[in-house]
Amino acid sequence: MGDGRAASSLVQVLIYQVSITLVVVVVSLVPPSFCDECSRKPVIFNFGDSNSDTGGIAAALGLPIGLPNGRTFFRQSSGRLSDGRLVIDLLCESLNRSYMTPYLESVGPNFTNGANFAISGSATLPEFVPFSLDIQVLQFLRFQSLSLQFTAQGWKDLVDEEGFQNALYMFDIGQNDLAGAFTDLSYEQVIQKIPSFLAEIKVAVWNIYKSGGKNIWIHSTGPLGCLPQKLSTMAAKTAAEVDEYGCLKQLNDAAKQFNEGLSALCTELRTQMKNVTIVYVDIYAIKYDLFANSTKYGFENPLMACCGYGGPPYNFNPNVTCGRTGYNICNEGSRYISWDGTHYTEAANLVVVSKILSANYSQPQIKFNYFCHA
C-alpha cells in the first residue's frame, strides 16, 4: 500500500476539493502531528470488519474490489470499501507509519509494524461468517507464535517479543452482528442478543491479554439507523420511527444499547486486568454528529449514498450496489458522508479521525499515540 504520510498530510488532503470556508472549520479539528513523540516503533494489530478492512476480504476470498472504490486517494483498487482511506489508515498516518497489511496477503506483505486481521462481513459471533472475531484472534495467536519462533532464530523484519508487548491492539466490530440480527428479529429480540455479542469481545480481549497485550483500543459501533442501506431496505412506516435527522430510531437505539454494554465491559476489564490500558472510543457520538450537523462540516445529502442506484432520498438498491452494472455515482469532490450506503467516504473519515485524535471521545482521555511513548 506504500508508506503512510505524517499526520500533517491529513491537513493537506483536507484542502483538496474543499472550499476555503470548510478548510478553516475542519483543519481546526486536526491536532498537530504526534510523529516526533513516538520514541519506539508503533506496532498495531487490528481486529474488525469492513470498517477497518484494508484488503483482507480481497486476499482471503479473491473478491475483486475495484474502482470506483479507491478513486479519491489511491486512484486504483485498494481492497477497501470506500472511495479512499479508512479511519485505520488515517490513524496510521498520524503515527507516520505504513498502512496496515492484511494478515492473509500473500504478495509483498509487510508485517514489521503489525498486521490487520479485519475482514469485511465479519461479526463477533462465530456463525455463518468464515472470519468471525474468534477466528481473527486465533490467526493472531498463530502469527505471534511463528514470529517469536523465527525472531529467536535470527530472522529480521518481524515483530519481536518486545514489539508484541508494547503493541496497540485495536477492536472495531459489532455492526454486522446488529445489522444481521435486524434481518430476522424484532427490536426486543435484537436487544436480547447483545450480551452474546459482548461475550465474544470479552473472550477476545482476554486472549490478547493472556498473550501479553497490555494496550487495548476499542471502538464503539456507529449509528446503524443513519446508513442509507438500512434506511432504504427498512423504510419507516410512520414518522415516529425516525428521529429529527431522518435516522431509524430502533436501529440507533440498539447500537446505543450495544455501546453501553461495551463501555461497561471495558470498565469491568480494567478492574480485572493488571498493568493494562483499555481505551473506549465513542465512535457513535462522533459519527452521529456528522448527520446531525452535516452542514457544519460541509456535507451534502447526509442520508444519501454517493455510489449506488435509485437517486434520492437514499440512492441505494440492494440489486444495484456500488460497482455493479447500472450504478450511479456523485461527482468526485462532492461532500457525501456515505460512500456506498454502508461505508463512509474518506471526507467523513477525515472528520472522524480528527475527533478521535482529540481524545475528547475517549474513556479515559488518552491520546492515540500513548502506546508508542517511552
Side-chain angles (χ1 to χ4, degrees):
M1 296 298 176
D3 290 338
R5 283 80 169 166
S8 59
S9 71
L10 297 178
V11 176
Q12 296 172 359
V13 174
L14 283 169
I15 299 174
Y16 181 63
Q17 297 178 334
V18 184
S19 68
I20 296 300
T21 301
L22 184 59
V23 170
V24 173
V25 173
V26 178
V27 167
S28 65
L29 296 172
V30 181
S33 171
F34 296 135
C35 301
D36 293 338
E37 296 181 26
C38 274
S39 56
R40 59 172 176 248
K41 185 173 75 171
V43 176
I44 300 175
F45 296 101
N46 181 66
F47 308 89
D49 51 31
S50 57
N51 289 311
S52 58
D53 181 355
T54 54
I57 193 67
L61 302 180
L63 296 178
I65 302 178
L67 293 171
N69 292 291
R71 72 170 185 174
T72 297
F73 181 80
F74 298 99
R75 301 294 176 182
Q76 62 183 2
S77 173
S78 67
R80 294 159 172 79
L81 291 170
S82 175
D83 62 324
R85 291 165 293 179
L86 308 179
V87 167
I88 189 74
D89 295 315
L90 298 167
L91 289 175
C92 285
E93 286 188 8
S94 76
L95 301 176
N96 197 30
R97 56 148 288 168
S98 60
Y99 298 134
M100 300 198 72
T101 298
Y103 165 69
L104 295 175
E105 183 56 73
S106 60
V107 180
N110 176 10
F111 296 124
T112 58
N113 292 324
N116 191 0
F117 298 87
I119 298 281
S120 297
S122 294
T124 65
L125 292 183
E127 299 177 6
F128 312 119
V129 291
F131 299 102
S132 53
L133 181 57
D134 65 323
I135 297 299
Q136 293 181 28
V137 173
L138 287 174
Q139 290 175 328
F140 163 76
L141 294 175
R142 182 176 186 274
F143 177 89
Q144 181 186 44
S145 176
L146 291 175
S147 297
L148 295 179
Q149 175 185 331
F150 291 142
T151 54
Q153 297 173 3
W155 286 49
K156 304 297 182 181
D157 299 327
L158 291 171
V159 179
D160 58 18
E161 185 171 1
E162 181 181 359
F164 282 106
Q165 291 176 350
N166 294 325
L168 182 66
Y169 296 86
M170 300 182 65
F171 292 84
D172 188 342
I173 198 165
Q175 178 175 311
N176 290 329
D177 292 279
L178 292 171
F182 270 105
T183 302
D184 302 310
L185 303 178
S186 67
Y187 172 78
E188 290 74 17
Q189 291 172 318
V190 172
I191 297 302
Q192 291 174 2
K193 288 186 68 68
I194 288 177
S196 64
F197 307 155
L198 298 174
E200 293 293 333
I201 296 176
K202 181 177 181 178
V203 170
V205 175
W206 268 107
N207 282 329
I208 294 301
Y209 171 70
K210 291 175 182 177
S211 72
K214 61 182 182 181
N215 301 314
I216 311 294
W217 189 276
I218 298 179
H219 286 180
S220 72
T221 197
L224 188 64
C226 297
L227 299 180
Q229 186 259 349
K230 290 302 178 187
L231 287 163
S232 175
T233 57
M234 299 179 66
K237 298 180 178 60
T238 67
E241 294 178 1
V242 298
D243 65 17
E244 58 186 310
Y245 306 110
C247 302
L248 293 168
K249 289 182 180 179
Q250 285 196 340
L251 272 68
N252 279 354
D253 286 344
K256 287 188 283 189
Q257 288 268 12
F258 171 85
N259 292 335
E260 288 176 8
L262 186 60
S263 177
L265 174 61
C266 290
T267 300
E268 174 189 334
L269 293 175
R270 291 188 196 104
T271 65
Q272 298 173 346
M273 297 176 173
K274 296 180 179 180
N275 301 319
V276 171
T277 300
I278 300 177
V279 179
Y280 168 85
V281 185
D282 190 355
I283 296 297
Y284 182 98
I286 294 174
K287 288 185 174 180
Y288 189 73
D289 183 55
L290 296 178
F291 298 98
N293 297 289
S294 58
T295 56
K296 169 186 173 182
Y297 300 107
F299 290 115
E300 310 162 8
N301 305 310
L303 300 179
M304 186 171 168
C306 167
C307 185
Y309 180 80
Y314 307 123
N315 195 39
F316 183 87
N317 185 311
N319 298 315
V320 188
T321 53
C322 183
R324 289 189 178 182
T325 302
Y327 78 94
N328 60 64
I329 192 168
C330 65
N331 294 328
E332 189 166 359
S334 299
R335 301 287 296 178
Y336 278 65
I337 296 173
S338 176
W339 166 240
D340 57 6
T342 304
H343 308 96
Y344 288 70
T345 62
E346 177 174 293
N349 288 334
L350 281 162
V351 179
V352 171
V353 168
S354 72
K355 292 178 178 292
I356 293 174
L357 293 178
S358 75
N360 292 332
Y361 295 82
S362 299
Q363 301 172 10
Q365 288 193 339
I366 293 176
K367 296 290 187 179
F368 179 70
N369 68 328
Y370 81 98
F371 72 102
C372 57
H373 289 171

